[in-house]
Amino acid sequence: MEPVLLAVLVGLIFIVTVALKTINLELLGNAELLRRFEREAEELGMVPGAHNARVLDGGVDGRRPYLVMELLDGRPLDVHLREQGPIRSAEALRALAL
């Protein structure tokens, strides 16, 4: 799993806290993981919606790719699923649908 960190983005007009996603240094040699990371960045950039974080920026620093994403309030979905089990409500599933 790639780490997601909190970062502060300082612009000319505003300062905002964002999510910064990157790949662990020891996994940079994993070509499949790098392809997945690139695909995730492309797909997130194409998916509109209120239920997913928008990609604000991305790139490579040295050899390490990164994504700068909108920071959303709330619990991560994987934590909810681990604690509460599968989501069975049709209304909740529609809200999560892309």
Side-chain angles (χ1 to χ4, degrees), residues 74-85:
R75 298 174 57 204
L77 181 58
D78 64 330
V79 172
H80 176 82
L81 293 174
R82 196 169 38 254
E83 292 176 359
Q84 304 294 321

Side-chain angles (χ1 to χ4, degrees), residues 9-74:
L9 181 62
V10 179
L12 294 175
I13 301 173
F14 61 89
I15 298 174
V16 64
T17 303
V18 296
L20 178 64
K21 185 172 186 177
T22 187
I23 295 179
N24 286 319
L25 290 173
E26 60 272 8
L27 298 175
L28 288 177
N30 184 326
E32 176 58 28
L33 181 63
L34 290 171
R35 278 192 296 276
R36 262 187 31 217
F37 193 86
E38 289 174 8
R39 196 168 47 245
E40 178 182 356
E42 292 169 3
E43 291 172 359
L44 282 173
M46 294 186 297
V47 177
H51 305 292
N52 59 288
R54 290 180 304 132
V55 175
L56 304 174
D57 196 7
V60 179
D61 183 28
R63 291 181 37 234
R64 194 174 192 178
Y66 66 89
L67 291 175
V68 179
M69 301 179 297
E70 176 182 25
L71 182 63
L72 299 179
D73 287 332

